[in-house]
Amino acid sequence: MAPNRIIIDTDPGVDDVLAMLLALSAKKEELEVVMLSLTFGNVEVQNCLRNVVTLFHYIEKEMAWRRENGREEGFEALVARKPIVAVGAEEPLAEHMMVADFFHGVDGLGGIHHSHPHMSPAETWKSLFKPTPEPLNAEEAAELEKVKQAHSLFTPSLKPAHEEMLKLLRDNEPDTITIVAIGPLTNLAIAAATDPEAFLRVKEVVVMGGAVNWPGNPPNLALLSSPALTSLPITPFSLTKQPPTPLRHALNHRNQMTPVKLFPLDITEQHLLPRTLFNSYITSPSLTSSPLKSWVELFLLSTFRKIASLDTHLNPETIGLQLHDPLPIWYALCARDPKWDFVTEDLRVETSGQWTRGCCVVDRRGREVKKGLEGPLEEDVVGDAGGWRDERRGNRVERCVGSPGEEEFAGVLLRRVFGGSVVGEGR
């Protein structure tokens, strides 16, 4: 069985890093991570890039440690294919940029690059994401090659992320690459506006974001925004301004819908990594000298402290990290599992309300949707100005409402990333 081939569009971020670790530690027959597409979001994009480079740095150290200790290296998906790493959008297409550094820290990982600078890789990696000056003398060429060898688990790209994304979609058969978007979707919006024909070759877009029947983030922090929801057959999230008319016409002319699976807070907040479970796992004697464990422990324990400080009513013994971004990666790993449950909805995003901007909207009136309608899309069904009853309009989003197991997921993640078994698994 061929692996599920994915592009991860991300803004790392604590839970983004856990999501990438889960993906890269997959079995080679489960996942093929072809690209990490970076965007702003939790923090600004250059900090996101440093976190990704540091992630690969510790995976490399971990694999060497496991070899030295007679353990299986793991990270089969990564060994099978080095992903492209490309830097994308640095700010929204519209509105002011807002980040979540109040939770993730100024660097996205609880400030560990500043508090523990010795644990960050030397910043020579920055040269990999800059054009190489020509000509290079022998010393400069040798130094550049040394840097490449030190960061050999990924392929750095000088192209913007949306260009790499489109190239991958053009170069591969249609419906063979899934985009798993766990950050603001500006890269996807730019890609779709740049070449809608290529973008429509995507197999499906899996999105973490939004809240439907659940309290969400403040609207101006939500991962949502698209004035074009009623007409665009593409992912409904984070198109931060109206796409150009030719794009709308081209997409409508093709009469195609990009399959979108949404993982909103309604489902992601139900999947926790309890602090007690994490603590019991990382104190296992078999992980005492694990480089990856030492790095992850540093920013996760900081995150647990932050969670406790934000809500003093929480019981310190039951604090858990909500596994928002890892959950859609789990879906990508085992999408065929019949325990995944989705409902299909016409889900739209409010983009102009003063108090409700960014909020998800669904029609709860329960009225029949008209099918087989003909004529101009501009003509509304009588009494339905929003086009909620016209099957040709709006969105058809599959929203996740059930997973293979809320209680099991944290253990699954820990076992896959660190190996071994989980003691005291459960909440």
Side-chain angles (χ1 to χ4, degrees):
M1 186 178 297
N4 195 4
R5 308 179 70 210
I6 65 172
I7 294 171
I8 303 177
D9 192 72
T10 177
D11 59 334
V14 171
D15 54 333
D16 301 73
V17 168
L18 294 180
M20 288 185 287
L21 282 170
L22 179 60
L24 296 170
S25 63
K27 299 292 185 182
K28 61 182 179 181
E29 63 270 17
E30 293 174 326
L31 274 189
E32 181 180 333
V33 183
V34 297
M35 177 183 172
L36 299 178
S37 165
L38 304 185
T39 182
F40 71 93
N42 288 319
V43 289
E44 56 87 27
V45 74
Q46 289 303 315
N47 272 322
C48 292
L49 177 58
R50 176 169 58 176
N51 291 341
V52 167
V53 172
T54 306
L55 166 70
F56 282 109
H57 175 71
Y58 274 95
I59 290 177
E60 190 162 29
K61 290 169 71 74
E62 178 74 8
M63 292 171 67
W65 175 78
R66 292 181 185 182
R67 286 194 300 270
E68 292 169 0
N69 287 273
R71 299 166 59 117
E72 290 186 8
E73 288 186 8
F75 296 96
E76 289 185 16
L78 176 57
V79 172
R81 172 163 180 160
K82 296 194 303 183
I84 297 168
V85 174
V87 178
E90 297 186 1
E91 59 185 4
L93 299 177
E95 303 300 326
H96 297 291
M97 183 172 74
M98 300 187 71
V99 295
D101 54 2
F102 72 94
F103 180 82
H104 293 271
V106 294
D107 61 1
L109 295 178
I112 65 173
H113 291 291
H114 302 285
S115 62
H116 296 73
H118 62 286
M119 297 190 70
S120 301
E123 294 194 349
T124 51
W125 59 262
K126 291 183 176 180
S127 63
L128 300 175
F129 295 90
K130 297 178 181 178
T132 303
E134 297 291 349
L136 293 177
N137 60 39
E139 183 178 350
E140 291 170 332
E143 183 60 29
L144 181 59
E145 185 60 30
K146 182 179 178 181
V147 174
K148 290 180 179 179
Q149 290 299 318
H151 301 281
S152 61
L153 293 183
F154 64 90
T155 301
S157 174
L158 300 182
K159 295 180 181 179
H162 76 276
E163 291 186 11
E164 287 286 6
M165 188 181 296
L166 289 171
K167 184 177 186 302
L168 285 167
L169 293 172
R170 292 188 199 104
D171 291 349
N172 290 274
E173 291 296 316
D175 302 323
T176 58
I177 293 181
T178 293
I179 299 176
V180 182
I182 55 178
L185 307 189
T186 310
N187 286 338
L188 277 67
I190 297 172
T194 300
D195 189 341
E197 293 288 327
F199 191 82
L200 283 168
R201 295 168 68 90
V202 71
K203 179 180 178 181
E204 64 180 357
V205 177
V206 179
V207 177
M208 185 274 130
V212 179
N213 300 309
W214 202 264
N217 293 322
N220 57 358
L221 292 181
L223 304 179
L224 311 175
S225 185
S226 175
L229 286 180
T230 58
S231 61
L232 276 177
I234 58 176
T235 175
F237 295 100
S238 255
L239 289 179
T240 52
K241 67 178 180 182
Q242 182 82 353
T245 299
L247 169 61
R248 299 200 302 276
H249 287 174
L251 293 172
N252 288 331
H253 177 70
R254 281 182 60 107
N255 194 29
Q256 293 190 12
M257 298 285 286
T258 296
V260 176
K261 285 190 168 68
L262 177 66
F263 288 74
L265 299 187
D266 309 52
I267 187 71
T268 61
E269 288 199 357
Q270 307 309 305
H271 294 75
L272 296 178
L273 172 57
R275 180 167 66 178
T276 52
L277 176 61
F278 180 71
N279 286 345
S280 68
Y281 196 83
I282 62 174
T283 54
S284 167
S286 65
L287 293 178
T288 299
S289 55
S290 161
L292 183 62
K293 183 273 296 188
S294 298
W295 181 61
V296 173
E297 177 184 18
L298 194 60
F299 65 77
L300 272 188
L301 293 183
S302 171
T303 302
F304 287 131
R305 289 193 294 271
K306 172 59 71 173
I307 293 170
S309 71
L310 291 174
D311 190 345
T312 56
H313 295 93
L314 289 174
N315 182 341
E317 297 303 316
T318 59
I319 286 174
L321 173 68
Q322 294 162 344
L323 297 171
H324 300 296
D325 294 335
L327 189 60
I329 297 293
W330 192 26
Y331 165 74
L333 275 167
C334 57
R336 294 181 179 87
D337 192 317
K339 294 179 182 178
W340 289 107
D341 191 13
F342 294 86
V343 295
T344 301
E345 295 173 317
D346 181 355
L347 183 62
R348 310 185 192 182
V349 178
E350 172 58 60
T351 60
S352 57
Q354 181 179 0
W355 308 114
T356 58
R357 180 174 174 82
C359 289
C360 293
V361 180
V362 294
D363 188 350
R364 303 186 189 280
R365 293 171 291 182
R367 298 190 297 176
E368 179 187 2
V369 175
K370 300 292 184 180
K371 299 181 179 181
L373 294 175
E374 298 180 357
L377 287 176
E378 289 76 13
E379 294 182 6
D380 293 320
V381 175
V382 175
D384 183 41
W388 294 94
R389 301 183 64 194
D390 186 341
E391 186 185 39
R392 303 167 301 168
R393 302 182 61 176
N395 298 291
R396 295 295 175 266
V397 177
E398 293 185 61
R399 175 167 64 89
C400 183
V401 295
S403 76
E406 297 173 8
E407 299 287 340
E408 290 80 8
F409 182 39
V412 169
L413 187 151
L414 291 173
R415 282 195 304 272
R416 284 177 171 268
V417 172
F418 297 108
S421 60
V422 180
V423 179
E425 187 171 331
R427 287 191 186 173

